[in-house]
Structures are given as structure tokens and as C-alpha cells.
Amino acid sequence: MAIIQQLPAFQNQNVVATGVATLLVPKWNNTLTRIVMDLGGTTFTKAMITDIKVKIGVRTVYNCTGTVLDTINQYKGIYNSANQLTIDFTERDAPSIEGKEIGGYDMSALPDQIKVEVTITGATAPTLAANAFLTAPQGQAGALVHKLLYFPSSTTVAGKYPVNFNPMGALIKRIHHFYAGATWAGNADGNINRVEVKKNGITVVDMTDHVRRFVQNEYRKVPQAGHYVTDFIVDNNQSSMLVTKDAASFECNTYLTAGDTISTYVEMLDLPYNA
């Protein structure tokens, strides 16, 4: 069973209507697997969290907005509540303990402290607290950790559009594309109607929007509006992650029916200090 520990208060002077609230996670001799944030005050919603960064020392390893994180969590079937928001470094539905907990941050093996930065915009008298879920130390210096990294892009025309990012040898769990154009409905595709992923020139995924949603529903995922997910571990088996260590070339190609702004977030397992 995990230890659930209330984290120290966010710096109170920064939990304000508009500002950056910061939290240093105590360097316990444990593995950090989840952080559950508790939003309160007069008016403070997840949409008012315009940036979340988790850092190891000065290195950002997790970066998204409150809305993006909420959407990703709902896709995974994590319970949705108006006042709580979970940063999960694990795979809750993996079929084994090792599969569930790989990706947690073993603070006993990290030389630097973990810091959480939450940017608040437009709230009224907000409050913010957090709880940490902890397990035993993994006992492996340099163990792989769960990262969520952000890559913005845009195109003014329809058709094939490559989203460029370098996985730097990481193991890719999921690639999340958020888009502003027409979303899917029923059996119809959204503006991102197809995604193709190639490694070393070989196609490893090529799926239309309506088919990928069917498959994800088969595995009890919950597709979300304006959100196209290429999920390499849709069956919750982390051994299916896309290996990029041997990738001499890597492509992620989106196909659009109209120009759009795309925000891409890549979930991966990676070495803590890999660039």
C-alpha cells in the first residue's frame, strides 16, 4: 500500500489570483508516484491553471496546462472532479506491480530535489494544497521516470503535416495531439483524421481517428473531444512502449482536413537527466 503524505504548503504569497505557486517536495527516502492537488477558494478551476511544471533541480520533466492534464487523465479513466487534479507518474491499470510503478521518481536515487510550479491565471482568492503518494525506494540509480513534454506547432493548410520532436532514445507511451479545429462525433473523424508514426522509415502506427477511438474504447479508455491519442500501451502493457533508442530516424505525421494549431504532449519513460 502506498504512503499518502500531505505535502508542505505551496508558497502562500504566490497562491494568488494570477501568479506562480511553487512547492518543493521533501527529499524523502521513497518513490514519488502521484501528486493530488486540491483546488479551493472563491473561484479556482482547473482551466485557471495555465501551466504546470515538475522539475528535477532546474530541469523540466513534466509540462502541461490544467485543462490538458485533466483531459489526459479523463482519457485514461482517472476519476474527474472539479476541485482535484492528479499528476500521475504511474500506469494505474497495468497488470503487474512493476508495470504500475515504473515511472515513479525514486527520490533516494536523485541528487536533486523535485519542484512543482503551478501558474494560476484569473482566479479569485484561490487556495492550493497537495498530497503525495509514496512507495518504497526502487533502489536503482538512474531508473527510468515518467515524463510529459510539450511540443507546439501549427499549419495553415490541410494535408499531411509532420510534428517534429526528438524522443532522444526514450520509451514512448503515448503521443497526445490537441487541436483547435472540428472535433470528432459519432463515427466521423476530427480535423486530425489520421496519424502515422514511422521509425527508421518503417510505419509502426497508421490509424484513422474513428478506428483508433474504437480500439481505445475496447480497452476502456475514454476518447476526449479535440484530442487525438496515439497510444502504444492502449492494452496497459508497458512492454508495448515504442523503443526509440535504436531510431536513426523518427516521424510523427498528422493528416488534417484544414489548417490548425496543434499542441503535442509526449508521455514517455526516460532517464531523469536525459536532455
Side-chain angles (χ1 to χ4, degrees):
M1 179 178 175
I3 298 169
I4 303 173
Q5 178 71 46
Q6 187 168 333
L7 286 164
F10 282 82
Q11 292 184 13
N12 290 332
Q13 67 270 27
N14 291 326
V15 182
V16 292
T18 297
V20 181
T22 59
L23 166 66
L24 284 175
V25 178
K27 208 169 182 303
W28 290 308
N29 189 37
N30 294 98
T31 298
L32 177 66
T33 59
R34 305 172 91 225
I35 297 173
V36 177
M37 295 188 291
D38 186 28
L39 286 62
T42 304
T43 307
F44 185 23
T45 68
K46 291 178 277 191
M48 294 171 180
I49 297 177
T50 52
D51 192 37
I52 300 169
K53 286 186 173 68
V54 178
K55 296 181 176 181
I56 302 175
V58 298
R59 186 181 298 267
T60 299
V61 292
Y62 201 98
N63 184 202
C64 63
T65 67
T67 299
V68 163
L69 179 55
D70 191 41
T71 300
I72 290 173
N73 285 349
Q74 288 188 59
Y75 164 77
K76 295 179 184 180
I78 294 174
Y79 181 71
N80 177 35
S81 171
N83 298 105
Q84 285 76 42
L85 185 60
T86 298
I87 302 171
D88 195 348
F89 304 119
T90 66
E91 287 298 326
R92 181 196 62 182
D93 297 327
S96 68
I97 294 297
E98 293 81 3
K100 289 176 189 291
E101 295 190 0
I102 186 172
Y105 287 71
D106 186 350
M107 295 182 289
S108 70
L110 290 173
D112 294 304
Q113 196 167 4
I114 294 172
K115 181 180 182 182
V116 182
E117 297 177 352
V118 178
T119 302
I120 302 168
T121 304
T124 303
T127 64
L128 183 61
N131 288 271
F133 283 59
L134 308 165
T135 58
Q138 296 174 349
Q140 300 179 46
L144 296 174
V145 299
H146 178 102
K147 295 182 180 179
L148 181 68
L149 300 180
Y150 170 48
F151 303 91
S153 58
S154 64
T155 176
T156 58
V157 297
K160 178 180 176 180
Y161 180 73
V163 176
N164 295 314
F165 63 91
N166 185 350
M168 298 289 290
L171 298 168
I172 298 178
K173 295 182 177 185
R174 302 177 185 92
I175 303 172
H176 301 266
H177 299 298
F178 289 79
Y179 56 95
T183 192
W184 53 268
N187 198 49
D189 297 333
N191 192 35
I192 296 181
N193 59 78
R194 174 183 161 208
V195 170
E196 171 191 60
V197 178
K198 291 184 176 182
K199 186 180 88 168
N200 296 331
I202 299 171
T203 300
V204 293
V205 168
D206 187 357
M207 188 175 290
T208 56
D209 185 22
H210 64 280
V211 174
R212 68 97 192 170
R213 296 196 319 270
F214 169 77
V215 172
Q216 289 164 1
N217 276 301
E218 280 193 303
Y219 286 100
R220 299 182 180 177
K221 301 299 186 292
V222 187
Q224 301 291 306
H227 179 218
Y228 188 112
V229 189
T230 299
D231 193 342
F232 295 99
I233 58 170
V234 68
D235 62 352
N236 304 314
N237 184 351
Q238 295 218 60
S239 64
S240 300
M241 289 182 288
L242 180 63
V243 177
T244 68
K245 185 177 181 179
D246 58 348
S249 65
F250 178 83
E251 297 177 42
C252 180
N253 298 312
T254 59
Y255 290 80
L256 298 99
T257 57
D260 211 330
T261 298
I262 304 171
S263 296
T264 299
Y265 296 81
V266 183
E267 282 188 88
M268 60 179 72
L269 288 184
D270 194 14
L271 294 170
Y273 293 98
N274 193 26

